[in-house]
Every structure is written in structure tokens, then in C-alpha cells.
Amino acid sequence: MSTTDATHVTASYHPAEVERKWQQRWEEQGINRWTAEELRSAEKPFYNLMMFPYPSAEGLHVGNIYAFTGADIYGRFKRLQGHQVFQPIGFDAFGIHSENFALKQGINPMELIPRNVERFTKQLRRGGLMYDWSHTVDTTHPAYYKWTQWVFLQLYKAGLAEKKEAPVNWCPSCNTVLANEQVVGGLCERCDTPVEMRFLSQWFFKITNYAGRLLENLKTLDWSDTTRKAQENWIGRSEGAELQFPIARPKVADDRHASAEIQAEKPVIRVFTTRPDTVFGATYMVLAPEHPLVAQITTDEQRASVDEYRRQASAQDLVTRKKTDKTKTGVWTGGYAVNPATRQEIPVWIADYVLMEYGTGAIMAVPGHDERDFEFAQAFGLPIVRVVAGEGEDADAPLAEAYTGAGRLVNSGEFDGMEVAESKRVVTEWLAGMGLGEQRINYRLHDWTISRQRYWGPPIPILYCDACGIVPVPEDQLPVELPFIADYKPDASGISPLARHEEWYRTTCPSCGGQARRETDVSDTFLDSAWYFLRYPSTDHDALPFDPQITKKWLPVDSYIGGNEHAVMHLLYARFVTMALHDMGHIHFEEPFTRFRAHGLIVKEGSKMSKSRGNVVVPDEYIADWGADTIRTYLMFLGPYQEGGDFRDSGISGPYNFLSRVWDSVLSSVDRPLEAAVEQKMHATIKKVTEDLEVLSYNTAIAAMMEYLNVVRAGGRTPERAAVEPLVRLVAPFAPHLAEELWERLGHAESIFVEARWPTFDAEKAVADTVEFVVQVNGKVRARMEMARGIAEAEARDAALADEHVQRWIEGKQVRKTIFVPDRLLNLVVG
């Protein structure tokens, strides 16, 4: 008996009509909405999150829909498995991305960005995404950035925020400071403009205080290896030693009793090195041009040359100075330091390839065993001494190039003959005994520059008072609201547009009542996104940033999906802020994202999508023509979700036809027992799809469902209801509107995502009774045969010899050997 009436049987699949109906019903019934009480009482919570978008364009492109859909499928899958899934969405609407778009459009961002948010919202709603729109956040809304400013104040109170002058990356196009992580290949990651170096007074977060924990905790996270590796490399742990090179005042005697005099010499030049074993080969030192000791160590005779070189170096950008392949330049200061190992005076130079932001801003130069030092020594005629020799090498043989391999120490006093690996520790301990060295762990990571000399961001909640100095804005006076200003364009002065508005920045000091001035820089947009996941469940609360009970119930995030371009910046900053808030006692956990997966990228017809190529795919027209369910399924079918795929118009019809066949199969299904072959395939398919969804292998899950449907409809057979009802549940994460409609037509009153549960499988029934054997004759495939699983070699051989396709290749010949791979292959060697 048919499960549907005749009208339904003949009804064809019309995606637009189905999707409009179910999107309206989801909204009316609040299928995806959570109240505060429901969040508190959830018994099996699952926080499913996708990185929220920048509304910095006219709308979402298909690559965005690809990313969001993959996260949504996982959330719907978990919901069908019985989890109570909280899946919010918001907009990372502050920052240079959005402001640059506003500048390009010639519209004030305070007017333009809300329009973009509205446009993005409509597109996301049409995509059939399971978002709780009642818990949306917009980083530009005062109700949100009040708490971003609160986070800043907590870090300030904990001593993790400080203002200092430092060399910074400056984008002359965006007219703002960039964090190191925002410079890619020497270019601004937002606008591809070459970056410069400037010295500015900036606010920094002391993320370096957490370098060790940030690195160590990576071992505990369920993250993809590429993401973990990116963070490991950026944090950059190095084991070595900090050595002290006293500045020579009068000439130090070259004898064994010089150590006391050396220790009395102040000040000293401190260097971090991973090769303390080579200290005997340090023949000169190099300071960064900005090093504070340069002025003190420079002689009167060299001061003019040093000052001119420092001026030239300061005009370069940091990225250019980091290049290792450029011509080495430098100037001698006229001063000397004392090598703590040899007791010899060695000249002190300055050179632009040494940077204050790395190590101590000074290096001991060992030209015999460092390529950069070797090039510099050759350029300026400085001594090159071998202190490490490889197997069979002469200790006194001249070096044609720096030797960086393993070996034993030579020309190193009492340590001669010692292997490099052992000597690193021993030499460090020897110098430590004289008070001139100590073991040290160093990190590549630098403090996070958060000041931005732009308009479009949350004002930093700090005041400056002549009497009181730096004064944090009292928490009960938050938010410090961003005013509407017409002249919001940045300039090359390095001063924020807000500094042009005295009526805004003049205020009263909350400590003494005198005149004060507001900080006119705004904070980096990465601070907005470093804590937003904490706010989502607590958007109902205006009096606190995150409700303690709800936060303990739902956090940390169970599954987080986003772009791997944020593997360093966003994820690292979010981890730091979470750790800091944990240490202050505000939250109970120190890692924000239990599991993270990066999605792949979508290209169009083999090329990266870009406006210049004119190949950006806007999803709206495709959804209008094919339906959101088809586009969702097609995007997931393009390739492995974590790799991406090639969007081609010609491929869309395949997923559409598949969904249409599912529709027709359900509406024409009948109540009768399952055939054995269909039942086996059903259990095998449920097993396959379940396992694939857990690891985000969406393309193979879809392929498995397509294959299953072929079995269900083989030879034009009428499908059983028991065969198609599980299929509706399997397809629901991919095509939720279609699944809802078919679930209702199957006679169910509630939403499939409320009433249904993910289908289960019987592992024994999932195993097919037969397998396909490849039959070869002399190594060439001559037939493919279905045989009983577990068939013995002799029986498989007899079955193959009886097959007419095989017989024609062995006729008149003798089978001399049989090669048998159980349940897979039979090769008959004839002659």
C-alpha cells in the first residue's frame, strides 16, 4: 500500500516552493532557537560553531556558502544523533576589511556596514542553515563591544596590556599598524601593499607570557596537523643560552685571571644563541641599529657614520630587513666587547639584518659556522675562525664557506675534541659558572600589537590625565561609544581620525576630576573575534559578558570550522585571551576550541575566484534556479571538504537529479518487507555515511547514498518504505528542506530534526554476502565476478575456469600457477 495519496505520488519536486515553506515554518516554530532557560537545562549540549564572516563585500560568494554548509551539515548530523545543538552566527563587522570596503564605496562604514549585515543575513537564511538567529552578535554594536572593551580592561588589570614605543609594521595604503601575522611576503595581507617600518607608541598584549603554554597545549587539541604545525612554527620555541659580552672599557688583559674583571665590566651586551658551543668562534658582534646600547658604545670618530646608517635603516620596512638573501650592509661603532670564552676584545658593529624584535637585538657573530655571518665577515674583512670540524677535517684548514654540520669542537680551549651535541650544555654551564651565561628557552612569538590608527573599530578604553597618567575607563562607564564622524578617512600621519575630534576625546578624569584625553586609537579587529564564542550563548544578558552557568554548560566549543588562513592569527589570539580569562578566574577552561577543522577552497572552472577575473560565483541565482538543497549537496560533492573543489555549472544537475530521485522514491514507496540485498545495502550505507560524516568526508557520503538509491531502484523496482525512510534521515543534513517535506509526507507530525534520530546499522548485516573478484590471466584483467565472501581458493579457481570470458584466454593452455588474494583477486598463470 502506498504511503502517500495519488496527488502526492504525481507531484514533482519544486525546490523553491518546498524551501520557502520550511524556512517559514522553522522561523514560526523556533526550531533552532534557544532560550536562556533551555541553555541552562540542556542535558546533552553540543556547541557547533563556524567562523563568523566579515561583511566587507556586497554579499557572500559561493565559497562562503561552501564553508558554512559544511559546518551546518555536521551540526545537523549531531542533532539527529540526539545532541542538543547550539549553532549561532554573527558578523565580524569592525576592522580594516569592512572599512576599506566602505572607503571604496565612498559611504561611511556606520551607514554601509549595517546594510551589508542585512544582505548577508538574507543570503544565510536562504541557505537553509540551522542558525539560532536570536543569539546573533554584531561586533560593531555597542552592546557587544562594551564587553570587548571589558576584555581589554581585564588584560590591563592583569598586567597583560601595556603601551610602549616599538618598531611596527605600517601599511601606507591602509594607513595603520599591522601585527606581524598580518604581513604576508612583505605585503599587507588585506591590500597587498608593501609594508614599511615605523616607530610608534602602541598598545601591546603580552601574549609572549603565554608562549610556553600555547605551544604545550597544542598536544592536547583535536586539530588538524597542518593547523597545529602552523602555530608551532609561529610560536617558534628555541633551546639555547643567553650569553653576556661585557663592553670593553679599558683594554682587558688576555689571561686566565680576566674573568673577575670581565664580570665587573658593565654594561654587557646580552645575546641569545642556539649554538653556545661556537662561542670561541665569535669574532665580532652585531647590534640592531635601534639597540639602546648603540649610542653608548659608539666612539666620537664613528658617531656620524653610525647616525647616518641608523637613519637609513629606520626608513626600511621590517620585512625587507628580514630577508636573508640581500647584500649585507653595516657600520662599525668603534667600540669593542669582550668574548667571554676567549677573553679577546672583538669589534661591535650595527647592521640592519639584526632586529630588536628577535632575541635580544644583538648577536654574537660566528662567521665560520653561520652563513649570514660568513657573508658579512667577507664583505668587511673580519676574521673567520673554525671551531667545529667534521669527520677527518683539519682544525686549521681555511673555510671556503660556513660549516653548519655536525662534528667536534676545535680551537675551543679545554673543550677541543668534544662532540657538538654534548658541548652545547657543557660550554653553557662553564660560562654560567663565571656569571656570563645561562640556559634559556626563547620564542619567535612577539607581543600582539593591538592599536589601530583607524576609525572603524572599538575605541580603546583608556584615558590620559596629566595628573594621574594612564587611567582605565571605569567598567560602569562602558561602552566608550564610537562616534559618527564624516571625516573618517585615515591619513599617513600615524594618528587616528578620532584624534581630529576634540569634542570627542576631551573628557574628565574619573580619578581626580581634572581634564583628560581619550585614547584615539581603536583596537585590532582580532580582539573582537578573540572572545565572541563566549558571548553567543549569553546575548540575552546585558549586565555581564557571559553567564557563568550557561558558559560552564556549553563551553568550550565542541566543533569549530573555519579557514586555514586564520590558523595563526585568530586561533592563536583566541587561545591567548581564553587562557588569560581562565587565569583571572572568569571562565573554567583554558582552550576555547576542543576540535578544529579547516575547510578547503572553491575555485571556478579551474581558476581562483576573483572580481578581476569576473568569475566570482554569487550563490543567489543558483539557489533561485536549483534550490538551496541542491547547491548544498553539489558543493559537498565537489571533493573532500577539507580540500575544496572546482565549481562547474555543468555539474549541478547531478545532485539535483539525485534529490529528485529521492523525492520520487519516497512518494512512490510501498509497505512491504525489504529484500535481502536491499537490506544489506541499507545497513552498509548507514555505516558508511555515519563514519564519513564524523570525519567530514561529505563527498564520499553522498556517493554512498547515490549508490544505495541505485540498488533501491534497480531495474525500475518500486522502493519499500523501510528502504527510503532511513535514506531521508541520511540525506537530511545535506538537504534539510527536502528531508522535512518528505518526512512530513511519510506521515510524521514533528520536524525531522526534532522527532527523528540518526538511523542505526547492524554491523553483521552491513557485510555483503558476496564480493567482486578480479580475475586475471597472466596478470591481465579478463573478468570481474561476484563470488561468495570467504570462498576457498579451489572453489574460486573452478568458478573462474567455468566463466566464458576467462575460458577464451586459456583455451588450449595449461594453468601452471594460481595467485589468490582472498575476497579480492585470482590470477591464473597459463602457458
Side-chain angles (χ1 to χ4, degrees), residues 605-638:
E605 306 287 345
S607 300
K608 182 178 178 180
M609 285 188 283
S610 69
K611 286 187 177 181
S612 61
R613 291 191 179 96
N615 67 343
V616 174
V617 178
V618 178
D620 303 53
E621 57 187 89
Y622 289 92
I623 291 175
D625 291 342
W626 298 93
D629 284 345
T630 295
I631 299 306
R632 288 168 61 100
T633 306
Y634 172 58
L635 288 172
M636 296 303 102
F637 195 47
L638 288 175

Side-chain angles (χ1 to χ4, degrees), residues 71 115 117 129 199 227 230 382 388 499 516 561 675 700:
R115 290 187 225 163
V117 168
L129 301 160
F199 277 84
T227 306
L382 294 166
V388 177
I561 289 177
E675 294 181 7
T700 54

Side-chain angles (χ1 to χ4, degrees), residues 734-748:
F734 299 88
H737 310 87
L738 172 91
E740 289 277 34
E741 181 67 20
L742 294 178
W743 191 251
E744 182 179 71
R745 295 196 181 204
L746 284 167
H748 300 282

